[in-house]
Each structure stands twice: as C-alpha cells, then as structure tokens.
C-alpha cells in the first residue's frame, strides 16, 4: 500500500488481508496522524517516501521493497471481502513452479454516494514480480501479460462524502496534467469524467465521458462504465437530445447490460417529466420496457461499472412505482412483491 493520513481505516485493511499474505508493506507519503503507528502495530513493514505528485512513482517505490513472486496492491480504504482462496498457490503459483501467465484483476465494490452508487470495478491489482506502474493518477500496471479476473473481491469506501472532501481537487489536477501529455487516452478521459460526476459536477463530466466513449476501443474493459456514466451525466446536465442519441447509438453493443437499460429508462423518464404531453405515447412505454429488459437480463456482476440491483430489485421497485403512479395497482403489487423477493436474495 501507499498511504497518507489513513488512521481511520488502515487497520481494517491490514487485518482483512493478514491471514492471506506473507508480508504487508506500507509506503507512507507524509502522514501526520497515527497511520504509521497503527500500521506497525498491525504487523506491517513501514517505509517512508517523499510525495512527488505521481502515484505510479510511489507505487513502484512500494513494490521495490517486495521480493515476492506475486504482489497484491491495495489502498488503505480497501478491505478484502471475498475470494481469499484465489490468493493461494493454486491460482498464483510460485515462480519456481510456473512462470506468471497473467496480471490478476480483482473486483472492487465502491460503497458510498455519487455516480453509480455501489458500482463494481475490475482493476489489475495482483501483479507478478517485476511488473511496474505508469501514470500520474489512476495508474495502471505495464505488462504484456493478459489481464485476468481471479475472483478476489475488495470493498472500498473512498467515495463516501467525507472521503471525497479530503481528496477534493487532487485527482482532478493530476488527471488534467496527464491529459495534457496524453490527450488521446480514453481511459484518462473516462477517469476525469467519473471524478467530476461523483463530485456532482455533471455539466463538466459529460464532455470528458463522451470523449472517452469516442476514443475507447470497442473491447476496452472500461467502455461499459464510460457509456453508462455518460448517459447519467448528460441527463443530469439537461442535455437530453444528446443522451437519447447516445442511447440509440450504443444500444446494439449493450444488449446484455441491465445497467445500460437502467440508464436509458432514467433518460426517458426525465423526458417524460419535461414533455408530459408526449409521456404516455412516446416516453413511458420505453421506460417500462427498459426496466423489464433489466429484469430479463438479470444481474451481470462481471460488467465493469455495474451496480447491484439494476438487473433485479432496483428495476422491479421502479416498475412498481411506475405502475402505482399510473393507477395500475395489480401490476404495482406484483412488482413490489418481486422487488422484495429479489432484495432478500441479493
């Protein structure tokens, strides 16, 4: 880990991984709270580093202290929540047994407010020996090895309101500096858009997210998140014609995404509220069909940026509210019951 002033949560992170790793290495970048003392008390090996406004440099400095065949990279506001067995030698064999054949991706569930709510992210965090990072912010490991999900699940609460306030401006400044050097990098545009969106700056987030959609390769892992986030940003920024156009353009690519159809329903519902004369004929039938499509698709936890519930209880609950508003009480009762059943099963 690289950390700074993480006394709030560092013990939670360390204790969650202690039974599953050999060594815990913490690189402190200038804490003035009890972070270092807590980390040492929890059994971590702590090193000090002078912050230089470059996350990849700090990540690499932390990795330089490790001689392990595999490195699990965490933030202090992460904690290991599942998939512990994937950290064993069956998934991550020692170099003496087999050379590394992949970079391991973990699932991160973001808990907190903001864009996407408790959105799932898939990030490369289990690195073979020798793999290093590049990028000032939202840094990525550089390797010719393929990235492969391994079943590890982390939870993260860095998007909670108080945590966002602590980091206000930092990531945005670093992202803009990185984009000045790499203006064609779709991933950086995506991260800038998400950064602005989670801070409630939808009007500013929309264009970076649209740029990410334009530049991202069709198979880019983050493209699903970029499209869904762009739809949300355009709706919140009152750019409804552009949101409708994006939904039409992207529909063929996301037939298996409940999150896409959930976002489409939100856009059309907003259109209905703005043009009530057209609501019953033009907009609400699309809203109804989109939420039903979410349920038909079901939960898709392997999609980057997916939100639990979009393929089940959230969509069913919204259908119940729609039917209740329209006075169709039997359908409302049915979907209320379905939403409750799905929520309990989640």
């Amino acid at each position: 880990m690289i950390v700074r002033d993480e006394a709030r949560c560092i013990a939670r992170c360390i204790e969650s991984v202690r039974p599953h790793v050999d060594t815990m290495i913490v690189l402190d970048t200038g804490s003035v709270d009890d972070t270092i003392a807590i980390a040492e008390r929890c059994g971590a090996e702590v090193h000090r580093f002078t912050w230089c406004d470059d996350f990849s440099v700090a990540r690499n400095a932390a990795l330089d202290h490790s001689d392990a065949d595999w490195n699990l990279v965490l933030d202090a506001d992460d904690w290991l929540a599942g998939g512990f067995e994937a950290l064993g030698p069956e998934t991550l064999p020692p170099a003496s047994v087999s050379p590394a054949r992949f970079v391991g991706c973990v699932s991160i569930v973001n808990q907190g407010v903001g864009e996407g709510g408790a959105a799932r992210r898939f990030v490369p965090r289990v690195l073979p020996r020798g793999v290093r990072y590049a990028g000032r912010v939202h840094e990525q490991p550089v390797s010719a090895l393929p990235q492969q999900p391994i079943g590890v699940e982390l939870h993260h609460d860095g998007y909670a309101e108080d945590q966002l306030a602590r980091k206000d401006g930092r990531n945005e400044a670093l992202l803009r500096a990185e984009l000045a050097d790499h203006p064609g990098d779709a991933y950086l545009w995506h991260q800038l858009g998400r950064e602005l969106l989670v801070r409630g700056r939808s009007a500013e987030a929309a264009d970076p997210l649209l740029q990410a959609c334009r530049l991202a390769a069709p198979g880019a892992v983050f493209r699903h998140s970029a499209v869904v986030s762009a739809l949300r940003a355009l709706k919140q920024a009152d750019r409804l014609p552009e949101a409708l156009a994006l939904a039409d353009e992207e529909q063929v690519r996301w037939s298996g995404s409940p999150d896409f159809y959930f976002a489409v329903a939100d856009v059309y519902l907003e259109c209905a509220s703005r043009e009530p004369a057209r609501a019953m004929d033009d907009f609400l039938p699309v809203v109804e069909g989109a939420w039903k499509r979410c349920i038909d698709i079901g939960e898709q936890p392997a999609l980057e940026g997916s939100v639990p519930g979009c393929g089940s209880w959230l969509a069913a609950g919204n259908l119940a509210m729609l039917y209740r508003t329209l006075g169709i009480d039997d359908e409302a009762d049915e979907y209320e019951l379905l939403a409750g059943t799905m929520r309990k099963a989640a």
Side-chain angles (χ1 to χ4, degrees), residues 261 265 285-298 311 315-316 319 323 331 335:
Y261 285 98
V286 178
V287 173
E288 178 190 28
W291 280 330
K292 286 185 174 181
R293 183 66 181 271
C294 291
I295 295 171
D296 289 342
I297 295 169
L319 279 165
Y323 288 132
E331 294 278 9
Y335 279 99

Side-chain angles (χ1 to χ4, degrees), residues 46-83:
V46 179
H47 302 271
R48 289 164 173 79
F49 177 83
T50 301
W51 179 244
C52 59
D53 282 341
D54 192 316
F55 278 91
S56 66
V57 172
R59 291 280 190 211
N60 294 339
L63 287 166
D64 287 343
H65 290 288
S66 171
D67 63 357
D69 290 335
W70 293 92
N71 294 285
L72 170 64
V73 179
L74 301 175
D75 291 328
D77 50 10
D78 298 331
W79 64 98
L80 187 60

Side-chain angles (χ1 to χ4, degrees), residues 171-195:
N171 285 4
E172 181 185 348
L174 293 174
L175 280 164
R176 291 191 185 281
E178 194 77 349
L179 277 165
D181 294 337
H182 306 285
D185 191 316
Y187 181 74
L188 292 174
W189 285 112
H190 170 233
Q191 291 296 343
L192 177 60
R194 285 189 58 229
E195 178 72 18

